[in-house]
Every structure is written in C-alpha cells, then in structure tokens.
Amino acid sequence: MSLYPFEFLCPFEFDCSQLVPPAGTIDHTMTDSPSQPHAIRFGVIGTGRITRRLVADLQSTDGVSVTAIASRSQERADWFASQYGIPAGIEGYERLLARRDVDAVYLSLPPSMHAEWCVRAAEAGKQILCEKPLATSAEQARSIADACDRCGVRWLDATGWLHHKRTKEMRALAVDGRLGRVGHISVSVSFYRPFQSGEHRLDPNLGGGCLLDLGWYTTGLACHFAGRLPIRVFADSIQENGVPIRCNGMLWFGEDLTASFSCGYDTATRKWFEVAGSDASIICDDFTRPWAERPTRYWIHDASGNVEANESTDRQEQRLIETLVGDQPLDSWNTLALQTQAVLDALADSDRQKQPVAVPPLDSSLPLHRSHTA
Ligand SMILES: NC(=O)C1=CN([C@@H]2O[C@H](COP(=O)(O)OP(=O)(O)OC[C@H]3O[C@@H](n4cnc5c(N)ncnc54)[C@H](OP(=O)(O)O)[C@@H]3O)[C@@H](O)[C@H]2O)C=CC1
Ligand SMILES: O=C1CO[C@H](CO)[C@@H](O)[C@@H]1O
C-alpha cells in the first residue's frame, strides 16, 4: 500500500497574491487571528514521516501557526494540507520560500538536501528549524550558519532532547560534583529495520547511514556532557549499500574523559546513555524521546547500589520551537550543532582509515557550548 493515499482532494487553491517577500520581511497581516496575534507562521518543507509529528508540535505551540506545506508533488502537498489543517499545499519548495505568509520554515528533507534549502531559506529571510543531522559535513553546516548570520535569521537543528527540561538537570548533576569526577560516557542509539524501498537512510547520495542519522544523537550527547570537543576519535562500521548500518567508536576528550558509542539499524530500539563518575553514574534509557505512553526517566546509581529514580514529563519539541521563536541568543545551541557535525566528519574519516584521527579545532570565534546549562 502506498504511504500516501491520494484519495483526498485539497479544498485550497494556491494564491499568487502571497508571492514575493523582500528578504527578512515579516508580514503578520495575512493569517493572524485574534487568538494568536503576531503568531510566527511556519511553512513546512517536505512531507515525510517525521513531518506528521512536527506539524502537530508546531500547531500546538503557543505563538506559532502553520500556514503552508510544500512537496515536490502538488497532490502530496494538498493531501498533507487537508489532513493536518494547513491552509495551503504548495508544489515546489522554492514557491513556499517566496510566500509572504511564511516567517519560518521547518525543513524535514533527507540530510543531503538540508544545506541547500537552509541557505535558500535564510536568503529568503525565513527563520529555520532544520531536522537533524544539520547537514552531511562540517563545511555544509558552516555554510548554513554563515548564511543565517549574513541574512540575520535565527536557526536551530530539531534535536528535541536537548530542550527537554531534564536535560539541563542531568547535565547539572554531571558538572556539580554529584557523580564525583566524571570519567566515561557511553551512549547507544539504534532501531531495527525494516526500511521501505527508496529509504534515504540507505542511500549514500541522500546522506544515508546510521553514523549521520543516529550518530548525530550519540555524538551530540557526548559533546554536551563533556562540554568540549574531543581531541581524537575512532569509529568502525559495518556497511551495506555504501552506508554504515552499524557503527561503534570512541571519543577522547583528554586523558581524564572518554566516551564510547554504538549506533545502528540492526539491533532493537536503544536510546540510552550512562555518564559514569568516581562516586555515581547517571543512567537514562530514553534520552532521545520517551517510550510510548511513559514519562521520561533516569536513574542515579551510587557505588553502594543505591538508586535514585527520576521521572518527569515535558514537551521537548514545543520547548525547541519556543526557543527558536523566542528572543534568547541561540549561540550555544548553534555551536553544539556545528561541533557535532565536525566530530561526525572526523568519525567518518576514522572509519575510512580504520584508525583514530585527530579532531581539528573549531573556529575559535564560536562560543563554548556551555551557557544554557549554567
Ligand atoms: N527529530 C527526529 O526525531 C527525527 C528526525 N528525522 C530526520 O528528518 C529528516 C527526514 O526524515 P524522514 O521524515 O524519516 O524522511 P522521509 O523519507 O519520510 O521524508 C523525506 C521527505 O523529503 C522529501 N524529499 C525530497 N527529495 C527527496 C528524495 N530525493 N528522496 C526522498 N525524499 C525526498 C519528500 O517530500 P516531498 O516528496 O513531499 O517533497 C519526503 O517525504 C531526516 O533528516 C531525518 O534524520 C527523522 C525522524 C525522526
Ligand atoms: O532521528 C530519528 C529518531 O529516531 C528514529 C528511530 O527511532 C530515527 O529513524 C530518526 O532518524
């Protein structure tokens, strides 16, 4: 059965009067409602699986509305628009960027397309929420950051777990001495196939492979808790169709702190980490998102077998969206994304060479990824 049933017809027509925004212009006159004055109006680029969830998250975030969705196919755009109550279905991503009723875009394309469409969105003056991985190389990631800088637009990668309220809490435990001296971080993210045909995760030309897809989480987690870039990394993968389908590795943050990771498409769903200190460890088994119908949870284990359990609920995607459309600086989040991408480059390089490689230092003008955890 097709993933996209096309039996629904869109009741909305494309409105040419909404074309042509001067870059950076935000025109709130077209879709503001009395209940949402000055809502930030999102346009969605791509109609994939994750889009369904994020559209609902956008629509349920205060101060945000979704005004348009673009697909390569008019039929698919119309179907999504009608299913999700989005006023306009648009054929072609460029046409969405040209609309005056779009202030920000949510981009959920295969990874190899992120850089091009983020840069175009920035040049059209739109704020950007881009799916992870931000790009397929550090150079591409930097081109996104530079374009956003140049055009004065805010951007975030859609890495929801970072914005969960417990993430700050867990990191505080690691840095305030509760665990003793932190020595090792281990992190695993996986799920077991099957994939549908045409799956971008298995296509090297679309930025496929578990290292970018799931290594984005494992690398980001290790860098987030370490609060610095690793000096040296090692990765080794099992490949299929020219992409890694299992990848394991090590990160050295200095002599005192190491991390190990495992990610892949050939073991059951795992989304856990451990931060091990000299006195105690944090263990979390759902860091990327909660298990269905359960609160998020983590445990602090001490050296005597005492366990402190923590459960909480939060709406991490809404927090992520609020952070983007808010007015606080995004430097710290942006830096972590650029660091993560640079480390992924080094891991891919190590996997090719089958030996540890040094991680080049990041641009020193970037602020350290620390401020929001204070
Ligand atoms: N944050 C999270 O929790 C998650 C993030 N992701 C990320 O979201 C992004 C999209 O993933 P996912 O939703 O699974 O992807 P899908 O394959 O389901 O969707 C990708 C969409 O991109 C568009 N597209 C444009 N060109 C191509 C092409 N050549 N091949 C395939 N699709 C194309 C299609 O939309 P159209 O044809 O309508 O233009 C398609 O629906 C990835 O970067 C992924 O890592 C994914 C899952 C969870
Ligand atoms: O980011 C993601 C979240 O996890 C999924 C698997 O559970 C991945 O497929 C996806 O790319």
Side-chain angles (χ1 to χ4, degrees), residues 4 46-51 53 70-73 76 93 108-111 113-114 131-133 158 198 200-201 206 213 217 289:
Y4 302 105
T47 58
R49 277 151 291 182
I50 183 64
T51 312
R53 205 170 63 208
S71 167
R72 290 170 298 178
S73 130
R76 198 147 59 206
Y93 308 149
S108 62
L109 302 172
M113 302 174 73
H114 292 182
E131 263 308 338
K132 44 59 59 181
H200 64 79
R201 289 172 183 77
L206 293 176
D213 183 27
Y217 293 111
R289 65 178 45 260

Side-chain angles (χ1 to χ4, degrees), residues 25-92:
T25 301
I26 294 185
D27 175 354
H28 290 294
T29 57
M30 306 187 75
T31 56
D32 282 351
S33 68
S35 62
Q36 278 205 316
H38 310 302
I40 301 291
R41 299 160 304 178
F42 272 79
V44 175
I45 296 187
T47 58
R49 277 151 291 182
I50 183 64
T51 312
R52 300 156 198 248
R53 205 170 63 208
L54 248 292
V55 164
D57 292 329
L58 287 164
Q59 288 170 329
S60 60
T61 300
D62 285 346
V64 167
S65 64
V66 180
T67 46
I69 183 162
S71 167
R72 290 170 298 178
S73 130
Q74 182 70 59
E75 204 177 11
R76 198 147 59 206
D78 287 345
W79 184 81
F80 263 80
S82 66
Q83 287 299 289
Y84 296 100
I86 301 171
I90 315 291
E91 183 179 27

